[in-house]
Amino acid sequence: LQHSQQLKRSAWLAPAPRRLNSGLPVNIGVLFVPQQEAWVVERMGKFHRILEPGLNFLIPLLDRIRYVQSLKEIVINVPEQSAVTLDNVTLQIDGVLYLRVMDPYKASYGVEDPEYAVTQLAQTTMRSELGKLSLDRVFRERESLNANIVDAINQASDCWGIRCLRYEIKDIHVPPRVKESMQMQVEAERRKRATVLESEGTRESAINVAEGQKQAQILASEAEKAEQINKAAGEANAMLVKARAKAEAIQLLAAALAQQHGSAAASLSVAEQYVSAFSKLAKDSNTLLLPANTGDVTNMVAQ
């Protein structure tokens, strides 16, 4: 019983078989390789050839299928890791890695576990790239950061027969204190923007009011100028009309004086006006300057 329990315990603690060697097809002479798979065959322990999709023939006992490589795009979850930025902020970052096996021979014999190697390379490259950027630039330059990681992985994994198609950062976890300070910074930036926008609105309003007052003054001055021009033109026309009327009246008066008894009529009119003016003397003021013969109406009318 003790011996059987030790055997069970040793079987339980034994390491699991590797992924590449688990579930390998058995050589029965006639093999059918599925599409988008490459089977690496060894003959007497030495690499022989790579089986293409479809019907293939092998020699039993001598040929052995050593590796099965999938030519599909492989998605690998990069575990969460800590990295320090250029301004000494510790971040927790995880991502997703997209790979494809380009050379089954190199992927089988170039590295022990391609997926594990690429994952470790992605983590170290991520730490290296994050150490070159500050915290603000990490959020702004995620695309360039992904591209730099892909380039670094492809340079190192070329001898492994694997090509990294793209790398995407899933989540970036910031420490609570740094997150609070970032939120305070964002709030301060928003208040600053609101103050700037309010001041710009006040300035635009003042400019619009000044422009409106300027246009109103210009329109008022133009209206006053037009009014004065119209008034002057009206006065000139009125004076011209009066002059013409006076000229016509003088002509009519001259014509009337030239007729018979015209002088007598004119003398009568002058005498009436003189008497009317004489009757209004000394009504507005007590001081008067009069000719000596003011009372001689006949003489004044004759003059």
Side-chain angles (χ1 to χ4, degrees):
L1 290 174
Q2 291 179 356
H3 182 67
S4 62
Q5 289 177 357
Q6 290 178 357
L7 290 177
K8 290 180 180 179
R9 188 179 297 108
S10 61
W12 177 263
L13 298 177
R18 290 182 301 175
R19 182 187 59 83
L20 297 178
N21 293 334
S22 61
L24 293 177
V26 179
N27 182 12
I28 58 175
V30 179
L31 300 174
F32 297 94
V33 180
Q35 185 67 31
Q36 289 297 97
E37 284 190 5
W39 293 5
V40 180
V41 179
E42 293 181 354
R43 175 167 292 180
M44 292 183 293
K46 184 180 179 180
F47 172 75
H48 176 54
R49 67 190 180 98
I50 297 175
L51 301 183
E52 300 292 336
L55 179 62
N56 293 272
F57 298 96
L58 294 178
I59 301 175
L61 301 179
L62 295 181
D63 296 336
R64 176 189 176 190
I65 301 171
R66 188 70 177 83
Y67 299 98
V68 174
Q69 299 290 348
S70 175
L71 302 181
K72 300 177 183 179
E73 187 171 345
I74 304 171
V75 182
I76 301 177
N77 227 354
V78 180
E80 187 177 4
Q81 59 180 329
S82 61
V84 181
T85 61
L86 185 62
D87 47 357
N88 297 326
V89 178
T90 303
L91 302 177
Q92 298 292 331
I93 296 181
D94 56 354
V96 180
L97 194 62
Y98 297 87
L99 305 175
R100 177 173 290 173
V101 176
M102 308 302 296
D103 190 343
Y105 176 81
K106 291 183 179 180
S108 301
Y109 297 100
V111 64
E112 181 67 23
D113 191 345
E115 294 183 6
Y116 177 76
V118 173
T119 302
Q120 295 300 314
L121 181 60
Q123 290 181 341
T124 55
T125 307
M126 170 63 75
R127 294 192 189 100
S128 176
E129 292 296 331
L130 282 178
K132 302 176 184 178
L133 301 175
S134 61
L135 180 61
D136 295 335
R137 292 183 59 190
V138 169
F139 293 98
R140 291 198 303 263
E141 300 182 4
R142 292 183 64 169
E143 293 184 1
S144 62
L145 184 62
N146 295 335
N148 294 336
I149 294 174
V150 170
D151 293 338
I153 292 175
N154 286 331
Q155 291 177 5
S157 63
D158 188 24
C159 60
W160 301 341
I162 298 175
R163 181 171 182 81
C164 179
L165 301 180
R166 57 190 179 275
Y167 180 86
E168 297 293 339
I169 298 175
K170 289 199 300 184
D171 293 321
I172 300 177
H173 300 284
V174 185
R177 293 184 178 180
V178 178
K179 189 174 182 180
E180 291 177 0
S181 63
M182 291 175 63
Q183 291 178 353
M184 294 174 62
Q185 182 180 0
V186 170
E187 292 177 359
E189 187 68 24
R190 289 179 179 176
R191 287 196 298 268
K192 176 184 175 182
R193 291 181 181 177
T195 304
V196 171
L197 291 176
E198 184 178 359
S199 62
E200 289 181 354
T202 304
R203 185 186 66 178
E204 293 293 334
S205 176
I207 292 174
N208 292 334
V209 171
E211 288 290 337
Q213 293 178 354
K214 177 182 176 182
Q215 294 294 331
Q217 291 179 358
I218 292 174
L219 293 176
S221 62
E222 290 180 354
E224 185 178 358
K225 176 182 176 181
E227 182 181 0
Q228 291 179 358
I229 292 174
N230 294 333
K231 185 177 180 180
E235 291 178 354
N237 291 330
M239 292 175 63
L240 184 59
V241 171
K242 289 180 180 179
R244 289 178 179 174
K246 190 173 182 180
E248 292 179 357
I250 292 174
Q251 291 178 359
L252 293 175
L253 182 59
L257 290 174
Q259 294 180 2
Q260 188 178 5
H261 304 295
S263 299
S267 299
L268 178 59
S269 177
V270 171
E272 290 177 352
Q273 294 179 8
Y274 184 84
V275 171
S276 176
F278 189 79
S279 63
K280 295 179 181 179
L281 293 175
K283 285 186 177 181
D284 296 331
S285 178
N286 295 328
T287 304
L288 299 175
L289 295 177
L290 298 175
N293 55 349
T294 302
D296 192 358
V297 179
T298 303
N299 188 16
M300 292 297 296
V301 172
Q303 291 181 3

